[in-house]
């Protein structure tokens, strides 16, 4: 049984070649598949506004002024240049009205949840533009955003998606009880989660869950952040994969992923693309090979 996230790809949208933009893996226009593991559901996370975009879906908190979850699927892509990088923009669908200036001078990067690169390569220029809407953005510390988070995104599309038939990703912030906001009212997350869902050749689902704090060096082994889906549910107040049978949810969510089955060692210590820019900053000597 093939399990799908209900990611909306607008019917009739076709994106053709733009410079070196690769659309060889661009899927035919389609509506969300009927069989679905379901959007994450709020159990104790408060109201959620669901915004469907080209290639990804956002569950947004108007109160926190942050996305609580973002879901999308990945498949293999070839290398090549991207279209020009868009500007960050306010999402007119959101009542919060967060714009790019709300993070300017805050000391935090504008961290994408649905990645710019993956959305552009798989779903086209409109998906890339929508990934720059502020409903897809959270405050991330620069060392996290440019080092460890970038490593995760790169490993996800370049290694994991090419290794398996299809990879489903759910990602978002985690907040503790000590609410801290920017002067604009945007809440600052304490951690971030990333969930991978995949189907084996035998048709069995498997999940991998990662939980990453804001304060990282950037060169930590990615395997240091392994956790369970259940733990992330407890921290976020969200219920992931709600349309799967309870027995399947229990099997997927209660145990840590088998890193050997996921061939995770191959990506755990990959260096960051922008690592040279950070080498020696704040007295930290980055050592991406320290887990070998």
């Amino acid at each position: 049984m093939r399990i799908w996230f209900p990611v909306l790809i607008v019917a009739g949208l076709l994106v053709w070649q733009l410079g070196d933009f690769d659309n060889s893996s661009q899927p035919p226009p389609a509506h969300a598949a009927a069989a679905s593991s379901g959007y994450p559901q709020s159990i104790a996370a408060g109201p959620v506004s669901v915004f469907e975009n080209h290639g990804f879906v956002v569950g947004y908190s108007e109160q926190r002024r942050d996305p609580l979850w973002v879901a999308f699927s990945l498949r293999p892509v070839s290398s090549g240049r991207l279209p020009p990088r868009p500007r960050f923009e306010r999402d007119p669908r959101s009542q919060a009205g967060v714009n790019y200036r709300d993070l300017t001078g805050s000391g935090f990067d504008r961290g994408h949840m649905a990645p710019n690169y993956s959305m552009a390569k798989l779903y086209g220029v409109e998906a890339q533009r929508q990934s720059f809407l502020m409903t897809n953005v959270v405050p991330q510390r620069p060392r996290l955003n440019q080092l460890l988070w970038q490593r995760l995104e790169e490993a996800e599309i370049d290694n994991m998606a090419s290794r398996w038939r299809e990879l489903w990703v759910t990602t978002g912030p985690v907040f503790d009880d000590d609410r801290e906001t920017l002067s604009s009212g945007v809440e600052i997350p304490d951690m971030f989660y990333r969930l991978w869902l995949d189907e084996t050749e035998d048709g069995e689902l498997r999940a991998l869950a990662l939980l990453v704090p804001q304060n990282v060096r950037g060169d930590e082994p990615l395997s240091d952040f392994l956790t369970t889906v259940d733990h992330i549910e407890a921290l976020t107040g969200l219920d992931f994969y709600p349309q799967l049978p309870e027995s399947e949810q229990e099997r997927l969510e209660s145990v840590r992923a088998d890193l050997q089955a996921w061939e995770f060692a191959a990506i755990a210590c990959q260096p960051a693309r922008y690592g040279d820019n950070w080498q020696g900053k704040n007295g930290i000597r980055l050592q991406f090979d320290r887990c070998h």
Side-chain angles (χ1 to χ4, degrees), residues 133-152:
L133 293 175
M134 293 301 292
T135 48
N136 182 49
V137 170
V138 291
Q140 283 188 325
R141 294 197 180 278
R143 185 175 287 274
L144 168 64
N145 182 49
Q146 298 173 37
L147 293 174
L148 198 139
W149 201 251
Q150 183 274 321
R151 290 166 60 202
L152 268 176

Side-chain angles (χ1 to χ4, degrees), residues 53-228:
N53 301 292
H54 289 61
F56 68 102
V57 182
V58 173
Y60 190 78
S61 169
E62 303 286 359
Q63 178 184 11
R64 296 188 187 273
R65 299 165 70 90
D66 286 301
L68 297 186
W69 56 264
V70 175
F72 53 92
S73 70
L74 298 178
R75 295 176 307 286
V77 298
S78 60
S79 60
R81 289 183 300 158
L82 293 180
R85 185 179 174 91
R87 286 172 56 93
F88 288 100
E89 296 180 359
R90 183 181 71 84
D91 191 333
R93 298 169 296 182
S94 167
Q95 297 176 5
V98 177
N99 64 60
Y100 79 96
R101 295 184 188 90
D102 288 336
L103 272 69
T104 300
S106 66
F108 290 87
D109 285 357
R110 300 174 184 90
H112 285 78
M113 293 293 93
N116 161 41
Y117 178 86
S118 299
M119 295 302 101
K121 295 291 285 183
L122 281 170
Y123 300 109
V125 291
E126 180 61 14
Q128 182 190 28
R129 184 192 70 80
Q130 290 180 322
S131 77
F132 279 79
L133 293 175
M134 293 301 292
T135 48
N136 182 49
V137 170
V138 291
Q140 283 188 325
R141 294 197 180 278
R143 185 175 287 274
L144 168 64
N145 182 49
Q146 298 173 37
L147 293 174
L148 198 139
W149 201 251
Q150 183 274 321
R151 290 166 60 202
L152 268 176
E153 290 179 342
E154 185 171 348
E156 197 173 70
I157 187 67
D158 289 346
N159 298 93
M160 291 301 174
S162 63
R163 194 172 296 152
W164 319 119
R165 290 186 297 175
E166 192 157 28
L167 187 70
W168 292 98
V169 182
T170 309
T171 187
V174 177
F175 305 92
D176 64 18
D177 294 332
D178 184 15
R179 192 168 189 264
E180 184 180 1
T181 67
L182 303 178
S183 59
S184 60
V186 174
E187 189 163 354
I188 302 170
D190 297 279
M191 295 177 283
F192 296 89
Y193 68 86
R194 210 165 189 96
L195 306 179
W196 293 345
L197 183 68
D198 174 63
E199 188 178 47
T200 69
E201 293 294 333
D202 296 330
E204 181 175 89
L205 291 176
R206 58 184 172 186
L208 185 146
L210 296 159
L211 184 64
V212 182
Q214 281 272 25
N215 296 312
V216 293
R217 288 169 49 102
D219 62 348
E220 294 92 341
L222 298 179
S223 50
D224 282 1
F225 306 103
L226 191 71
T227 186
T228 66

